[in-house]
Amino acid sequence: MDLDADIFVRLVSRAQTETRNGNNDRAIVNLERALALWRGTAGGADVAGSSRLLTQLDSFNHLRLIAREDLISARLVRGEHRLVVPQVRALLADHPYREVSWGQLMYAYYCCGDIEAALRTYLELRKVLDEELGVEPGQEVGRLHQAILARDDTQARRLILPEPDRFAV
C-alpha cells in the first residue's frame, strides 16, 4: 500500500526527470498530479508529535512549495506567462520571502511586455525584505532585475528557469 506522501515524492521526482529530458508537458502533468494529492498543510496546527515527526512534516511542506515553483517554471517554459501571475501572487501571499517566486513573477510580467510591473515587483520585493527581515534581495534576483532593465531576454530566461537538477529529490 502506497501512502500519498510516497506517491507525491515519486511524481515530483518523475517530473524532474521529465524536465531534464526536455519533456516539459509530461513534467507539468506529474507536478499537477503530485500537488492534487494535497489537502492543506501537512500536519497543521492541531498535530502534536515528536520533533522528528514535525520535522518530517515540515520537509513535505517545503517540497510541496518547491513543486509549486517547479510547476510555475514549467508553465513559464510553455509560455503561459499571463496565467502564472495570479498563481505566483497566491504563493507569495503565503510565502513572502521566496525570492525564486518573486523572480518568477518579475519574469512573467517581463514576458508579457509589462516592464513597469516587472520592475515594480522588484521594488516590492526589496521593500518586503528590508522592512520585515532587514536584508536586500540576493544576487540572482538582482541580476534578473539588471537583465530586465537591459531588455536582455536570453539572460533573463537563463536566470529564472531552473537548472534541471536544481531540486533533485
Side-chain angles (χ1 to χ4, degrees):
M1 176 170 130
D2 286 332
L3 298 175
D4 283 354
D6 296 327
I7 296 168
F8 172 77
V9 171
R10 277 199 308 273
L11 287 169
V12 171
S13 178
R14 192 176 304 149
Q16 291 170 349
T17 299
E18 296 293 357
T19 298
R20 273 192 299 278
N21 293 334
N23 299 321
N24 193 56
D25 290 338
R26 288 185 192 155
I28 289 172
V29 168
N30 282 305
L31 288 165
E32 287 174 339
R33 287 179 55 210
L35 291 167
L37 295 170
W38 286 81
R39 309 284 184 272
T41 305
D46 59 341
V47 172
S50 71
S51 61
R52 210 166 99 185
L53 171 63
L54 296 175
T55 299
Q56 187 171 6
L57 292 173
D58 188 51
S59 294
F60 277 112
N61 287 320
H62 185 70
L63 183 56
R64 176 185 182 205
L65 181 57
I66 290 169
R68 288 175 67 191
E69 288 174 337
D70 285 353
L71 180 57
I72 289 166
S73 289
R75 288 189 170 141
L76 288 169
V77 167
R78 193 156 66 179
E80 298 177 2
H81 309 110
R82 292 188 200 302
L83 297 175
V84 303
V85 168
Q87 295 170 4
V88 180
R89 281 284 179 197
L91 192 150
L92 286 169
D94 293 332
H95 305 280
Y97 311 124
R98 297 290 299 185
E99 288 190 39
V100 169
S101 297
W102 283 102
Q104 290 173 326
L105 184 59
M106 290 168 58
Y107 183 74
Y109 281 132
Y110 175 69
C111 290
C112 290
D114 194 344
I115 306 302
E116 179 187 355
L119 297 174
R120 204 174 45 244
T121 299
Y122 180 75
L123 295 176
E124 186 180 348
L125 165 63
R126 286 187 67 194
K127 182 178 179 184
V128 166
L129 292 179
D130 181 49
E131 288 179 359
E132 298 184 26
L133 301 177
V135 298
E136 288 289 318
Q139 289 181 352
E140 191 165 323
V141 76
R143 286 193 298 269
L144 176 61
H145 178 248
Q146 291 301 313
I148 291 170
L149 284 170
R151 310 296 197 277
D152 186 342
D153 298 344
T154 303
Q155 177 70 355
R157 181 178 174 84
R158 187 175 12 174
L159 286 166
I160 201 58
L161 298 178
E163 296 297 320
D165 59 353
R166 182 179 94 189
F167 295 118
V169 175

